[in-house]
Amino acid sequence: MSTLGVSFTDAAFEARVLAGVEEVERQLRAAVDSPDRLVAEAAAHLLNAGGKRFRPLLVLLAAEFGESSRADVARSAVVVELTHLATLYHDDVMDEADVRRGAPSANARWGNSVAILVGDYLFAQASDLVSDLGTEAVRIQARTFSRLVQGQIRETIGPADDEDALAHYLAVVADKTGSLIATAALFGSKMAGAPADVQETLTEFGERIGAAFQLADDIIDVASETGDSGKTPGTDLREGVPTLPTLIALRSTDPGSERLRTLLGRPLTDDAEHAEALALLRAHPAMAEARSYVRAEADAAGVLLAKLPDSSARSALQELCDTVVTRVG
C-alpha cells in the first residue's frame, strides 16, 4: 500500500494519480497564499501540518471513470480540500482545541478571531475557484456548505428532548463528514465527464464511506492503546463527546451497565473515573455493535462499487472499504 492509502498494480494508473496529487498540492499552496504575511502564514498553517488528503484522493480516483486528465479535476479537488481545511479552523475554535495534526491549533497560536477569519478566507478562496467550474459546481458547493453548517448547528445544539440521541449523532456525522466526501466523489466524476449513473453511484459511495471512516475513528478512540486516531485513547470519552460506542452503551438496559451509564455523557476530569469508564466501555457489547455497524456501512459502500466498470480505480476504492473494516478490527 502506498502512502496515499491505496495500492497500485497498474503503473499508468499510479502515474496519473501521483501526478494529480502533485498538481493538487501545488494549487493548494497557491490558493492559501496572500500578500499579507499573517494571512499567508495562518492560512498555510494546517496545510503545512500535513493530513491524509483523503478528499482530494477520492476526487482523483472518481475522475478515473471519465477523462481524468481534464484540468477541472485538480481544481475541484482543491476546492474540496480548502473547504475541509476551513471547517477545521472553525471546529477548533468551537471545540477550544489546543492541537491539530500534532501542531498548535490556529486558535491557540493566533487567537479565536484570527482563526475564524482565516477559515472564512479559505472558504472564500474555495468559492473563487469553484466559480470557474460552472454554475452546477457552484450549486453543489453551496448545498454541501449548507449541510456542513447544518450539521455543526445540530451538533452544537444537541438532540431535542424527544429525539433519539444515536439517530441525531448519525445525522450529524452524515452532514459534517459524509457530505463533503460525497461531493469529492461527485466533483471528480463530474469534472471528468463520467456518465450520470456513475456520478450518482460514486456520490452515494462517498457518503457511506465518509461516514464509515468517521465512525471508525470513534471506535479507535476507545479501543486503541497507541492513539491510532492521532489522539490519546479515550480523548472523546474524557471530554464527554458523544460517539457511536458511547451512545450505543447509553441505550443499554442491562443492569450490569448501570455504572458505565453513570459515567458516560459528561466530561470525565477525574483520571480514575476516566480509566474506569474506558475499561468498562472496552468490555461492553456496545463495542461489538459499533464495529458491526461500521462494517455494514463499509460493506454497503462496497456493494455500490459493483455497479461501476471494473478498473484499477474501482479496486482502489474497494481497498478503502477494506481499510475501514481493518481499522475497527
Side-chain angles (χ1 to χ4, degrees):
M1 183 180 291
S2 76
T3 56
L4 295 176
V6 297
S7 300
F8 295 104
T9 56
D10 181 323
F13 170 58
E14 180 179 14
R16 287 194 303 273
V17 173
L18 292 179
V21 169
E22 290 178 6
E23 177 59 19
V24 169
E25 204 67 21
R26 185 191 69 78
Q27 291 190 31
L28 274 172
R29 298 202 172 277
V32 302
D33 199 10
S34 168
D36 186 290
R37 188 175 66 179
L38 174 60
V39 173
E41 182 182 3
H45 181 64
L46 287 185
L47 185 67
N48 292 336
K52 297 183 287 290
R53 302 288 191 269
F54 176 74
R55 291 155 188 82
L57 174 63
L58 188 53
V59 172
L60 298 172
L61 293 178
E64 286 288 316
F65 295 91
E67 297 177 33
S68 61
S69 61
R70 290 186 180 182
D72 286 348
V73 169
R75 186 182 296 266
S76 70
V78 174
V79 168
V80 170
E81 188 67 6
L82 286 175
T83 303
H84 173 57
L85 288 171
T87 65
L88 298 184
Y89 281 83
H90 287 179
D91 282 353
D92 284 347
V93 171
M94 298 189 71
D95 297 341
E96 299 179 350
D98 295 322
V99 177
R100 168 70 71 173
R101 294 178 174 175
S105 62
N107 49 297
R109 182 168 176 181
W110 291 286
N112 286 345
S113 295
V114 169
I116 291 170
L117 291 169
V118 170
D120 292 345
Y121 173 72
L122 294 177
F123 278 129
Q125 295 297 88
S127 297
D128 185 33
L129 289 173
V130 80
S131 67
D132 292 330
L133 300 178
T135 305
E136 181 61 20
V138 171
R139 182 178 295 109
I140 292 167
Q141 173 72 356
R143 290 176 177 174
T144 304
F145 192 25
S146 175
R147 285 188 65 189
L148 290 170
V149 173
Q150 289 183 75
Q152 184 62 67
I153 291 171
R154 285 170 60 83
E155 181 181 61
T156 302
I157 295 174
D161 292 340
D162 60 347
E163 186 177 10
D164 180 78
L166 179 56
H168 173 272
Y169 177 68
L170 294 175
V172 167
V173 170
D175 283 342
K176 284 195 62 178
T177 303
S179 65
L180 189 57
I181 293 176
T183 294
L186 175 57
F187 268 169
S189 54
K190 182 177 285 293
M191 297 307 142
D197 61 328
V198 170
Q199 293 180 34
E200 183 178 348
T201 297
L202 284 167
T203 303
E204 187 177 349
F205 169 82
E207 185 89 29
R208 283 190 175 275
I209 202 65
F213 263 102
Q214 177 59 53
L215 296 172
D217 280 346
D218 286 359
I219 296 169
I220 292 169
D221 181 64
V222 176
S224 173
E225 296 284 356
T226 57
D228 291 342
S229 62
K231 301 183 295 185
T232 302
T235 297
D236 290 334
L237 187 65
R238 181 181 291 281
E239 296 174 357
V241 175
T243 62
L244 182 62
T246 60
L247 288 169
I248 292 174
L250 281 168
R251 297 174 74 166
S252 173
T253 57
D254 182 355
S257 302
E258 183 176 353
R259 174 56 181 166
L260 176 59
R261 290 197 300 271
T262 66
L263 294 169
L264 298 179
R266 60 181 174 89
L268 297 172
T269 55
D270 181 82
D271 287 344
E273 281 195 336
H274 176 259
E276 181 185 5
L278 190 59
L280 288 172
L281 185 56
R282 284 173 172 171
H284 197 276
M287 292 298 289
E289 188 175 340
R291 286 187 172 97
S292 294
Y293 184 89
V294 171
R295 289 191 192 104
E297 284 296 294
D299 288 345
V303 169
L304 288 167
L305 294 178
K307 300 179 181 180
L308 301 174
D310 189 12
S311 65
S312 296
R314 193 180 84 172
S315 297
L317 293 174
Q318 181 60 57
E319 190 170 3
L320 294 180
C321 297
D322 298 339
T323 298
V324 172
V325 174
T326 301
R327 291 176 77 216
V328 299

